Amino acid sequence: YGVPTPNDGERPSYTSTLSDSSLTAFVSYASVFRRGLHWGITGKYLSRSLASAQASGMAVDAAIMLYILPNVNVGMQVRNVWSTGMRWTNTASNPTDGIAPSFHGGVAWRGESFVVSLSDELGGPIALGGEFNASKELALRGGLQVPKDLPLRFWLGTSLDISGFALDYVFQMDQNSTMVSGLEHTVSLGFKI
């Protein structure tokens, strides 16, 4: 796509656009290893599309969580311990992009109706977030992410959890965002068995 150079005082006009979307479906299992130590594993199906090109693949995450104080817990996660890579179709060469493993760690402090957390991706961004539970069913969230060598990212979200079914919405933007770039909306639906 191209953006013609505007004359002084004129806004640039976009000559074409691209559609970009992603879908992640996952199944998780978690259990108590011993008192104060929990573990979990997640299988993921990943699908991406960019214009007419599409990619899909599968991956597995593993995590542990340790309760070090009654209201404080520490978690560690390895994302993409195993993956098939993202195989692209409808392209000239149909390449496969690797899905690299990454290590994440964090700490959370839970109050009576709120949670404050700090997380870090090894060699990557640091994130600070909070959640306020307005009721048993409704939670409001917000936070910021400090990526390495990239603009700050902010997010706001909410979740509705009724009888084990959860609907989440998150709006993300970076500090340089405009109405046509740097904005992201995420909607997820989950249920517990």
Side-chain angles (χ1 to χ4, degrees):
Y1 44 66
V3 181
T5 304
N7 297 322
D8 287 342
E10 292 181 2
R11 293 174 56 95
S13 60
Y14 286 81
T15 58
S16 65
T17 60
L18 277 203
S19 65
D20 176 20
S21 64
S22 64
L23 169 71
T24 303
F26 60 88
V27 175
S28 297
Y29 177 79
S31 182
V32 177
F33 180 69
R34 64 175 65 165
R35 186 174 177 174
L37 179 60
H38 298 209
W39 67 275
I41 189 165
T42 299
K44 303 183 293 190
Y45 170 76
L46 310 163
S47 175
R48 305 288 183 262
S49 67
L50 180 61
S52 62
Q54 298 175 348
S56 62
M58 296 188 343
V60 173
D61 300 343
I64 61 170
M65 186 167 61
L66 177 64
Y67 289 83
I68 57 175
L69 292 171
N71 293 339
V72 179
N73 55 305
V74 174
M76 289 162 276
Q77 179 188 46
V78 180
R79 292 184 186 165
N80 310 315
V81 176
W82 170 83
S83 74
T84 62
M86 296 288 289
R87 183 174 178 81
W88 287 91
T89 59
N90 295 338
T91 66
S93 62
N94 293 337
T96 298
D97 291 340
I99 303 174
S102 60
F103 178 80
H104 303 256
V107 61
W109 174 61
R110 180 178 295 276
E112 190 170 315
S113 60
F114 63 91
V115 177
V116 177
S117 64
L118 175 70
S119 64
D120 180 34
E121 178 183 344
L122 190 63
I126 296 173
L128 176 65
E131 176 181 291
F132 172 72
N133 296 305
S135 68
K136 185 178 176 183
E137 296 82 16
L138 180 66
L140 307 172
R141 301 182 182 119
L144 65 93
Q145 186 180 55
V146 185
K148 198 172 184 181
D149 304 324
L150 291 172
L152 285 172
R153 289 190 63 79
F154 307 92
W155 70 87
L156 293 171
T158 186
S159 70
L160 185 62
D161 191 338
I162 300 174
S163 300
F165 286 87
L167 177 65
D168 291 323
Y169 169 74
V170 177
F171 171 72
Q172 296 183 60
M173 64 183 288
D174 65 45
Q175 70 185 74
N176 298 332
S177 64
T178 67
M179 291 308 291
V180 292
S181 69
L183 304 177
E184 186 176 313
H185 301 271
T186 304
V187 177
S188 62
L189 177 65
F191 62 93
K192 298 176 186 175
I193 300 176

